[in-house]
C-alpha cells in the first residue's frame, strides 16, 4: 500500500501546502478532482481549503469511504482564521462534522493551517459574497465579534498571506510516525 496527498484548492494556498508537503515527504500530491481509488492507500492526507464553512472537495472525495485495517486518514484544513485560537478550532471541527460521518472523523488526525486571500483573484461571486459578509459583520458590536469574524474584517479587500511551510512539521512527523507503525 502506498500513501497519497489529496488537496482541494480554489485560489492556491492549499495547493502550495500540498506541493511543499509532497516535496518534503516524497508522497505524491493530486487535486481532489483527480483523486484515485483510496482503498489501496496506506496513509491518506486530505488538505482542503475552507470556503463558506466547508472544506473544498472533502465530501465528494470521501463519499462512501471508510478506513480499512492499516489505513490512516489525516485531515488538514487551510483557512484565513488563526487555528491557534480555540474558538476557530471548534468552528473547524464543526465544519468537519457536517461533512464527514462521525466514525470517519473520529478515526482521523486533524491539523489546521493558515492560508491567505487575495481579493483581486476572487471570482465575482466570491467577491460579492465576501462584500455582503463584511457588511453584515461590521454591524455586529465589537464585543460580540468572533475571532474569525475579526480576522475577516481586518483583512477585507487586501492581499494577505499567512502561509507558513514550517507549520507542516507536525504533519510530517505524524506521517513518519504512521509509516513506522504500519
Amino acid at each position: 500500500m502506498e500513501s497519497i496527498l489529496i488537496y482541494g484548492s480554489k485560489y492556491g494556498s492549499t495547493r502550495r501546502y500540498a506541493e511543499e508537503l509532497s516535496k518534503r515527504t516524497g508522497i505524491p500530491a493530486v487535486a481532489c478532482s483527480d483523486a484515485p481509488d483510496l482503498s489501496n492507500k496506506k496513509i491518506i492526507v486530505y488538505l482542503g481549503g475552507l470556503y463558506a464553512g466547508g472544506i473544498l472537495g472533502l465530501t465528494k472525495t470521501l463519499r462512501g469511504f471508510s478506513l480499512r485495517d492499516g489505513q490512516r486518514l489525516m485531515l488538514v484544513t487551510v483557512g484565513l482564521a488563526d487555528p491557534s485560537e480555540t474558538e476557530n478550532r471548534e468552528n473547524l471541527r464543526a465544519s468537519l462534522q457536517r461533512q464527514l460521518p462521525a466514525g470517519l472523523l473520529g478515526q482521523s488526525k486533524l491539523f489546521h493551517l493558515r492560508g491567505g486571500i487575495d481579493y483581486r483573484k476572487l471570482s465575482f461571486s466570491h467577491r460579492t459574497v465576501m462584500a455582503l459578509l463584511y457588511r453584515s459583520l461590521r454591524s455586529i458590536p465589537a464585543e460580540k465579534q468572533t475571532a474569525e469574524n475579526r480576522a475577516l474584517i481586518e483583512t477585507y479587500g487586501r492581499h494577505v498571506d499567512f502561509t507558513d511551510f514550517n507549520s507542516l512539521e507536525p504533519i510530517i512527523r505524524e506521517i513518519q510516525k504512521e509509516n513506522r507503525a504500519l
Side-chain angles (χ1 to χ4, degrees):
M1 285 170 55
E2 56 188 69
S3 301
I4 191 160
L5 305 171
I6 303 168
Y7 64 90
S9 183
K10 187 155 185 81
Y11 295 107
S13 294
T14 306
R15 178 187 45 78
R16 289 186 3 243
Y17 274 124
E19 289 171 350
E20 184 66 20
L21 188 58
S22 177
K23 188 169 34 171
R24 292 184 186 196
T25 62
I27 299 172
V30 299
C32 60
S33 57
D34 300 322
D37 175 46
L38 302 177
S39 62
N40 68 338
K41 303 300 181 195
K42 178 169 79 167
I43 297 174
I44 302 154
V45 182
Y46 189 92
L47 297 95
L50 295 164
Y51 300 98
I55 292 87
L56 184 66
L58 182 65
T59 302
K60 184 177 179 186
T61 301
L62 297 180
R63 181 175 291 131
F65 177 76
S66 58
L67 286 173
R68 296 178 178 184
D69 284 341
Q71 286 186 306
R72 300 294 185 262
L73 177 62
M74 296 177 206
L75 300 172
V76 183
T77 64
V78 179
L80 193 56
D82 185 353
S84 68
E85 296 196 25
T86 303
E87 179 183 1
N88 291 338
R89 283 193 311 277
E90 289 169 359
N91 290 339
L92 293 169
R93 185 159 187 82
S95 292
L96 288 165
Q97 286 173 327
R98 285 190 298 274
Q99 288 187 269
L100 292 174
L104 191 56
L105 180 59
Q107 295 174 302
S108 305
K109 279 293 233 180
L110 304 180
F111 299 91
H112 308 293
L113 306 174
R114 284 191 92 178
I117 192 166
D118 184 349
Y119 280 82
R120 295 171 299 164
K121 292 183 179 180
L122 295 182
S123 67
F124 176 75
S125 61
H126 282 160
R127 274 195 317 271
T128 302
V129 167
M130 294 303 285
L132 292 170
L133 181 58
Y134 173 74
R135 284 189 206 114
S136 71
L137 292 176
R138 286 189 37 152
S139 67
I140 299 171
E143 64 276 2
K144 292 186 178 181
Q145 291 284 354
T146 66
E148 192 172 6
N149 292 350
R150 286 190 302 276
L152 194 144
I153 290 169
E154 291 166 8
T155 60
Y156 179 74
R158 299 183 8 217
H159 173 207
V160 293
D161 189 357
F162 298 110
T163 304
D164 176 10
F165 291 145
N166 291 326
S167 64
L168 292 171
E169 288 304 317
I171 302 166
I172 294 168
R173 284 192 300 275
E174 187 64 27
I175 290 170
Q176 291 168 341
K177 180 178 126 186
E178 292 297 342
N179 272 325
R180 286 190 300 272
L182 296 173

